[in-house]
Amino acid sequence: MHYLDHAATTAVLPEAADIAYRAMTEQFGNPSSVHKMGIEASGMMETARRQVAALLNAEPSEITFTSCGTEATNTAIYGACRRKGRGKHIITTAIEHSATLNTVKQLEREGFDVTYLQPDESGHIAISDVRGAIRPDTVLLTCMLANNEVGTLLPVREIGKLLKKQAPDAYFHIDAVQGLARVPIRPRQWNADFISVSGHKIGAPKGVGALYIRKGVHIAPLMAGGGQERGMRPGTEAVPNIAAFGEACRVRQGQMEQNYTKVEELCKQLKEGVARRFPWAIYNGMNDIPHVVNISFPDCKSEVLLRVLEMHQVYVSSGSACARGKASHVLAAMKLDHSRIDSALRISFAPSNTPEDVEALLDALDEGTKRLKRAFG
Ligand code: PLP
């Protein structure tokens, strides 16, 4: 099996699976219980909070656990925008994940004015456009750190600096789901008020995320309930998932540099193979991180090519896995033509990938593109 779809999700790391199993079968107490079992479960959560905070260069008290990256983003955006006495203008980009876009669209329906910054053809957002968009009534700027479809990095440091200078009361939220454990997260340097991250992109199970909330920032929770997570996220905590997320952060933090180099080499191998075997292929966007590569194979519809690759046990994605069946809004915002969007494949690496995975992909692409070009080209 050659799994090259890690921007969609990852396998759970053995260390993370072990601790989750232990939290489910042995230390399964409710963290709110005051007896020994509860205290043990609560201890596991606090260890995880320290581990997540360490990878985020934050303080443990700034970490709130959620059920996923989407919930973290919803909590930040609704929480920031619904604060009384603030402005009614939101800035975001046209290349955000639907977790952000659909939340912002809901606020637009509720009367907020939204500016959607457009990318250039390489998938980058110009800092001059950010400067021009900030208004005195801007309440929130929300953008991603790394794009999940084309792997571009947004200039979050410059954006944060500009925002705090031009609209000091506005909040800054960063969706760092695809950046976590790949590039260093620097909340203070970036002037971030909120940062969303997700467990299943870095070797934790699905169903856990976290929201960094800068010390001193207060927003209302999405849900009413008990006082868990200092009232920010009521509901009995998913201790197994949370403990596993912490463990995945610990493991990934210790290997960050070597993992980056490994993924860089895999990406280089892929690009060399593509240049040699498919010189007619077109790259979409400038992948600033080597983990995500987006390539169009003109005349080869990606939905069909995907099936051929699948027959060789090679798994990649067409566009974004979250927008199944729909044309990619990211590639459309980059103003790529329809045939290029229609034939785009997203290949996304994890450090667990090997040079054999890349060779298997290239071989499967060779067969797939020849077959499709013969049939439709
Ligand atoms: N933001 C980005 C950039 C993503 O890639 C994803 C998932 O694909 C999310 C947010 C949503 O995260 P989750 O699946 O944990 O809800």
Side-chain angles (χ1 to χ4, degrees):
M1 196 258 284
H2 305 282
Y3 184 83
L4 293 152
D5 198 14
H6 289 97
T9 196
T10 58
V12 176
L13 291 169
E15 297 91 334
D18 279 351
I19 200 159
Y21 185 76
R22 195 153 24 98
M24 287 189 278
T25 55
E26 292 170 33
Q27 290 158 308
F28 56 84
N30 185 326
S32 298
S33 298
V34 292
H35 52 63
K36 184 168 168 279
M37 292 288 284
I39 293 165
E40 261 177 28
S42 155
M44 281 182 116
M45 285 211 26
E46 293 323 304
T47 301
R49 201 182 306 282
R50 281 194 297 277
Q51 291 165 323
V52 175
L55 188 53
L56 264 70
N57 289 301
E59 290 179 23
S61 64
E62 293 175 311
I63 304 298
T64 298
F65 287 112
T66 62
S67 67
C68 55
T70 300
E71 189 194 333
T73 290
N74 271 257
T75 304
I77 296 179
Y78 283 130
C81 292
R82 288 177 176 162
R83 285 217 54 181
K84 296 254 176 311
R86 302 264 173 157
K88 284 265 179 189
H89 176 234
I90 303 169
I91 303 171
T92 190
T93 83
I95 60 169
E96 296 305 307
H97 188 268
S98 42
T100 295
L101 284 179
N102 287 333
T103 307
V104 162
K105 277 187 193 141
Q106 176 55 33
L107 287 166
E108 206 169 12
R109 285 190 284 274
E110 291 175 19
F112 281 81
D113 191 13
V114 183
T115 301
Y116 297 91
L117 300 171
Q118 300 299 320
D120 61 17
E121 206 190 292
S122 73
H124 287 115
I125 299 291
I127 195 74
S128 53
D129 288 351
V130 179
R131 188 178 295 116
I134 301 170
R135 310 192 320 211
D137 65 336
T138 302
V139 58
L140 172 75
L141 194 156
T142 172
C143 72
M144 57 196 352
L145 170 60
N147 183 269
N148 51 308
E149 291 192 43
V150 292
T152 44
L153 285 174
L154 276 77
V156 290
R157 187 175 177 173
E158 289 88 334
I159 293 175
K161 204 165 144 196
L162 260 185
L163 185 69
K164 293 297 156 173
K165 192 165 151 225
Q166 289 181 225
D169 289 338
Y171 291 110
F172 186 25
H173 167 249
I174 301 172
D175 167 0
V177 167
Q178 294 289 346
L180 186 68
R182 291 167 187 158
V183 296
I185 308 289
R186 307 239 180 259
R188 300 279 183 282
Q189 259 183 31
W190 300 345
N191 283 298
D193 297 297
F194 308 102
I195 300 179
S196 305
V197 290
S198 175
H200 72 107
K201 312 286 186 183
I202 70 153
K206 292 152 195 66
V208 61
L211 179 63
Y212 160 88
I213 306 177
R214 184 171 59 81
K215 202 193 275 178
V217 170
H218 299 286
I219 53 169
L222 279 186
M223 299 193 296
Q228 292 93 343
E229 294 299 275
R230 294 172 311 283
M232 267 316 292
R233 209 291 179 173
T236 302
E237 302 90 332
V239 184
N241 286 357
I242 290 170
F245 189 17
E247 188 61 13
C249 286
R250 183 191 68 75
V251 172
R252 290 300 206 91
Q253 187 172 20
Q255 305 169 341
M256 223 162 106
E257 275 178 36
Q258 75 203 61
N259 280 348
Y260 196 94
T261 307
K262 194 169 175 210
V263 170
E264 230 171 13
E265 279 161 13
L266 294 168
C267 179
K268 186 162 163 263
Q269 182 194 347
L270 171 69
K271 288 187 171 175
E272 283 169 0
V274 168
R276 212 172 44 245
R277 297 167 76 165
F278 317 98
W280 44 274
I282 312 167
Y283 287 92
N284 301 317
M286 191 104 70
N287 69 310
D288 299 318
I289 49 168
H291 304 73
V292 181
V293 187
N294 196 306
I295 315 175
S296 287
F297 295 88
D299 297 330
C300 305
K301 220 172 154 26
S302 51
E303 298 298 332
V304 186
L305 191 50
L306 210 73
R307 298 286 160 236
V308 181
L309 300 188
E310 195 179 15
M311 289 192 301
H312 294 266
Q313 295 200 316
V314 173
Y315 301 98
V316 299
S317 194
S318 68
S320 163
C322 298
R324 190 184 289 241
K326 277 201 228 139
S328 156
H329 68 281
V330 175
L331 301 185
M334 286 159 60
K335 301 208 168 45
L336 307 188
D337 64 51
H338 187 69
S339 67
R340 199 161 146 191
I341 297 178
D342 225 31
S343 61
L345 285 188
R346 178 186 71 179
I347 297 132
S348 49
F349 296 108
S352 55
N353 282 125
T354 61
E356 290 71 41
D357 292 330
V358 178
E359 279 315 306
L361 167 67
L362 291 167
D363 287 345
L365 278 172
D366 203 38
E367 192 207 309
T369 54
K370 276 187 186 138
R371 243 213 246 182
L372 295 190
K373 274 181 173 282
R374 225 180 293 129
F376 307 108

